[in-house]
Amino acid sequence: MKKILLIISITISTLFLAQQKPTLFLIGDSTMANKENPDKNPEHGWGQVLAQFFTTGIEIQNHAMNGRSSKSFRTEGRWDKVEKQLKKGDFVIIQFGHNDQKFKDSTKFTNPYTQYRANLERYVNEARAKGATPILMTSITRRNFNENGVLIDTHKEYPLVVRMVANDMKVPFVDMQLLTEQLEIAYGPEKSKLLHLHFKAGENAYYDKDKADDTHLSKLGAESVAKLAVKSLKPLKTGLEKYIK
């Protein structure tokens, strides 16, 4: 009888696991994060609008958070919440860099070639240990045109380190820095403001003062960036492409 009950229990557990949807977890910073009051707030993270490009066959959990670096995301216990849920067949998109640059904040700053790299490698290894597929992405670019209309990079060594880790550890990789540079350049120095948060005082009810933010995204910017991400995720052949509309 005990053996029969054990077999039944194992069968039920197996069927339950088979029926569970895979989950796409997003970990990163404010450029990816969900924003409060999305109906009124002009600012959107690209992860916030990602679900519209996927079928209902996969769940999406966006754990990205404003102001977090590859270091603080872990020390605050945010990765622990993700890791505890990870199961075989899941996916984890990893995109840090903006806040790892903050050399005046010891809770966030990481040396790109040592701490930052080690943090990325640890996320990759721990995701793989759970049977999940990690996907590395470089940070999206900032709108930073000079007086000659040339888009100037602000991320320095950090995107290079992401590329190195992806190459050395054979991790699926999307170069969002390159893709968003191309996007900003295509829009040009003036029209690219539409991708970000540029408002005069009183122009938008959400801001009572002038707003000129070249890092964070408008809804147009977020949807444009999400489309670029999805288009580049398809050919990686990780299994995630099955759930892309």
Side-chain angles (χ1 to χ4, degrees):
M1 181 61 72
K2 286 183 178 179
K3 285 183 178 179
I4 292 171
L5 289 173
L6 180 62
I7 291 168
I8 292 171
S9 177
I10 291 171
T11 303
I12 291 171
S13 297
T14 303
L15 287 171
F16 174 74
L17 289 170
Q19 290 172 352
Q20 277 188 303
K21 289 182 182 180
T23 301
L24 170 59
F25 293 91
L26 309 179
I27 66 171
D29 54 44
S30 58
T31 60
M32 179 192 272
N34 294 337
K35 311 297 176 179
E36 294 181 356
N37 303 317
D39 293 333
K40 296 180 180 179
N41 188 353
E43 183 180 341
H44 288 68
W46 71 264
Q48 181 177 352
V49 301
L50 193 63
Q52 64 187 292
F53 303 107
F54 284 83
T55 69
T56 56
I58 190 167
E59 180 185 349
I60 297 178
Q61 287 192 27
N62 188 3
H63 289 259
M65 185 62 61
N66 291 16
R68 271 55 185 189
S69 70
S70 67
K71 178 181 180 179
S72 63
F73 192 86
R74 182 183 290 276
T75 57
E76 292 177 1
R78 297 179 186 279
W79 171 244
D80 188 51
K81 291 178 183 177
V82 173
E83 190 181 16
K84 283 179 179 176
Q85 297 182 69
L86 282 178
K87 63 185 183 298
K88 187 175 181 181
D90 285 345
F91 304 87
V92 186
I93 292 179
I94 304 160
Q95 186 188 59
F96 292 104
H98 277 91
N99 299 300
D100 287 79
Q101 292 183 291
K102 293 184 175 178
F103 59 87
K104 292 184 179 180
D105 189 340
S106 63
T107 66
K108 297 174 182 177
F109 176 76
T110 60
N111 181 313
Y113 291 115
T114 54
Q115 300 170 61
Y116 180 64
R117 175 166 184 142
N119 288 344
L120 295 181
E121 290 175 345
R122 191 175 172 190
Y123 285 126
V124 167
N125 285 327
E126 290 174 353
R128 283 175 168 171
K130 288 296 191 81
T133 300
I135 299 169
L136 284 170
M137 291 188 175
T138 48
S139 295
I140 67 170
T141 194
R142 294 184 176 96
R143 179 186 166 277
N144 185 43
F145 289 94
N146 68 12
E147 65 276 9
N148 299 311
V150 176
L151 187 67
I152 305 299
D153 172 57
T154 63
H155 288 114
K156 300 181 180 179
E157 304 97 331
Y158 291 89
L160 173 61
V161 173
V162 181
R163 295 182 185 97
M164 292 166 65
V165 173
N167 182 66
D168 293 347
M169 298 184 74
K170 303 295 184 275
V171 184
F173 168 71
V174 177
D175 195 347
M176 292 302 292
Q177 182 193 29
L178 171 62
L179 295 173
T180 53
E181 280 183 0
Q182 292 171 337
L183 177 67
E184 299 279 354
I185 292 167
Y187 268 75
E190 283 304 311
K191 285 188 178 180
S192 59
K193 291 178 181 178
L194 297 172
L195 301 171
H196 298 278
L197 305 169
H198 281 257
F199 301 99
K200 296 293 183 183
E203 187 178 351
N204 188 289
Y206 206 79
Y207 302 115
D208 56 4
K209 297 179 181 178
D210 287 356
K211 183 78 172 177
D213 182 342
D214 292 315
T215 297
H216 300 101
L217 300 166
S218 64
K219 187 176 182 181
L220 171 66
E223 289 181 342
S224 299
V225 171
K227 285 177 184 177
L228 292 173
V230 169
K231 187 176 180 181
S232 294
L233 286 168
K234 260 189 175 180
L236 293 181
K237 303 299 181 186
T238 59
L240 187 59
E241 66 277 359
K242 293 187 294 185
Y243 307 103
I244 296 173
K245 288 181 181 176

